[in-house]
Amino acid sequence: MVAKATTAWGQEKLAGSGEVVAFSWGGSYTDGLRRFVYEPFTKATGIKVIDVTADNAEPQVKAMNQAGRIDWDIAYIQRQNYPAMHQDGMFVPIDYSLWDQEALEGTPPHARLEDAVVINQFAEVLAYDQRAFPKGGPQNWADFWDVSKFPGPRGLEAVLGRHTIQFALLAAGLAHNDIWPLTDDKLDSAFQKLNEIKPHITKWWSAGGESTQLLINREYAMTAAFDGRLVRPIRDGAPIKFVWEGAYLSYPYLTVLKGGPNTANAQKFVAFANRAEIAAGWTQGTGYPGPNKNQLKYLPADLIPLLSVNPENASKCVLEDSAWLAVKRSDGKTNGEHIQERWLAWRAR
């Protein structure tokens, strides 16, 4: 249906030939893209998508630039890594003249940079097992810390400390707009609060799907989890819920690599992927929505309450200050590196 609806538009403005080499994160994420984005793009434009996958694009992109040979056309770049790579001239400007009006109007200006576009939003949220709390589960991070009112085994992320540090500060009573920047005094407060909950964490999860599965298996009564990992189980009837209050919100950028083999086709892919219907397909295929709010009118009604692109949900989240994370301190380390060092030291105790 999506391909049929967009074929005429694609032939008029985005028709082409050949291929485009597009990075993604692999697994079910890429499987969803093939079905909901890549195949419709090829049908509408005649351009074949060659996908390459990895956990992170940045090391390969930097290595290709150093070698002077760019093999990819499109890469996803984490926000805190974008400024330095932008300054090094690794990306080409996005051709917004190829975008249709619905995409331009639905995608906010902060998501449309000169040489980068927000590819999707992800949030780390508080999820809980309804079977453990038949009369109502935790509604915020203060509730997560309240082991008397809400007893049961708990989970938190082991990998990126800044996510869990935010939750500790919210549990300590900080307002959303007081979380960033994560100064040293706030870090001290966060680790004091984390000392309280540490004995009640039965497992520190490291893989994105792990927290959801442990929740379904009843090994957790509640846990931090990524929203996109929760969407499909909930829609399939799993007895779990999650709340948006105090969620950690961030997003990576899609970039067109300077010197890539198929730049013109890459620009057409970016324009196509940000159409509202295709953005809705991206969301359904991956569980993670792009920023185009016009996609909401193309999505199933039961899915909309589960998405951060829903303005009501977004208003309850705390947006990561990636620009501050990328700033270097006097010791030469970025703020993000400093926070992560403190986090790993605390976890090792």
Side-chain angles (χ1 to χ4, degrees):
M1 291 175 62
V2 168
K4 186 176 181 180
T6 57
T7 295
W9 178 84
Q11 289 176 343
E12 177 185 341
K13 206 166 188 180
L14 302 182
S17 60
E19 63 188 30
V20 59
V21 183
F23 166 89
S24 65
W25 289 303
S28 61
Y29 189 97
T30 299
D31 290 342
L33 290 182
R34 292 186 184 118
R35 177 183 173 189
F36 287 94
V37 182
Y38 294 172
E39 291 176 10
F41 175 71
T42 299
K43 288 181 180 179
T45 67
I47 300 168
K48 184 179 180 181
V49 179
I50 307 298
D51 59 52
V52 292
T53 63
D55 289 339
N56 295 291
E58 289 89 342
Q60 290 92 326
V61 172
K62 291 176 181 178
M64 286 189 284
N65 271 273
Q66 290 174 356
R69 176 181 171 179
I70 311 300
D71 298 321
W72 302 353
D73 297 302
I74 290 168
Y76 307 164
I77 304 298
Q78 298 299 328
R79 290 179 73 209
Q80 67 269 22
N81 298 323
Y82 165 78
M85 297 174 75
H86 163 77
Q87 289 175 3
D88 288 341
M90 296 187 184
F91 316 125
V92 300
I94 301 298
D95 186 356
Y96 290 107
S97 71
L98 295 174
W99 288 39
D100 72 357
Q101 196 62 29
E102 191 177 35
L104 291 169
E105 291 174 353
T107 307
H110 78 264
R112 293 186 279 114
L113 307 186
E114 178 189 1
D115 60 359
V117 179
V118 172
I119 189 60
N120 58 227
Q121 301 175 162
F122 72 86
E124 193 164 331
V125 299
L126 168 53
Y128 64 91
D129 181 356
Q130 291 180 275
R131 296 164 296 184
F133 306 105
K135 295 182 180 180
Q139 297 302 301
N140 52 52
W141 290 103
D143 287 347
F144 185 94
W145 256 253
D146 192 340
V147 296
S148 298
K149 186 177 179 180
F150 298 98
R154 285 153 159 77
L156 285 172
E157 181 189 353
V159 183
L160 287 178
R162 59 182 183 269
H163 297 166
T164 306
I165 286 168
Q166 172 182 300
F167 305 149
L169 290 172
L170 291 169
L174 261 70
H176 287 198
N177 57 7
D178 290 333
I179 297 296
W180 294 93
L182 293 175
T183 54
D184 282 334
D185 60 326
K186 292 179 187 176
L187 292 179
D188 292 341
S189 297
F191 288 120
Q192 289 177 10
K193 195 67 179 175
L194 283 163
N195 287 335
E196 297 176 14
I197 201 66
K198 194 174 189 179
H200 303 281
I201 304 302
T202 55
K203 180 174 177 58
W204 296 83
W205 55 266
S206 55
E210 185 180 8
S211 57
T212 302
Q213 193 57 53
L214 291 172
L215 199 61
I216 293 171
N217 293 350
R218 308 190 81 164
E219 295 180 55
Y220 287 153
M222 66 183 77
T223 183
F226 288 111
D227 56 339
R229 297 287 189 165
L230 296 161
V231 167
R232 180 172 294 178
I234 290 175
R235 296 185 79 204
D236 288 344
I240 55 180
K241 280 190 173 183
F242 68 91
V243 298
W244 287 101
E245 176 58 37
Y248 188 110
L249 184 65
S250 189
Y251 43 77
Y253 292 122
L254 179 152
T255 60
V256 176
L257 300 181
K258 187 175 183 179
N262 309 285
T263 301
N265 286 345
Q267 296 284 6
K268 293 176 181 179
F269 177 84
V270 174
F272 184 86
N274 282 279
R275 293 206 73 212
E277 300 101 320
I278 304 303
W282 190 297
T283 299
Q284 292 181 80
T286 68
Y288 295 97
N292 187 345
K293 293 181 178 62
N294 281 329
Q295 70 175 284
L296 293 172
K297 55 190 172 185
Y298 300 103
L299 288 168
D302 71 310
L303 181 56
I304 293 173
L306 304 176
L307 301 175
S308 61
V309 73
N310 181 335
E312 181 181 351
N313 297 335
S315 68
K316 300 174 183 176
C317 300
V318 178
L319 179 63
E320 173 189 275
D321 188 344
S322 57
W324 179 83
L325 287 170
V327 171
K328 287 192 175 182
R329 298 163 55 90
S330 59
D331 59 5
K333 298 173 184 175
T334 65
N335 286 320
E337 290 168 341
H338 172 71
I339 290 168
Q340 189 64 8
E341 284 186 1
R342 288 201 59 179
W343 167 254
L344 293 175
W346 178 84
R347 283 274 292 117
R349 293 175 191 161

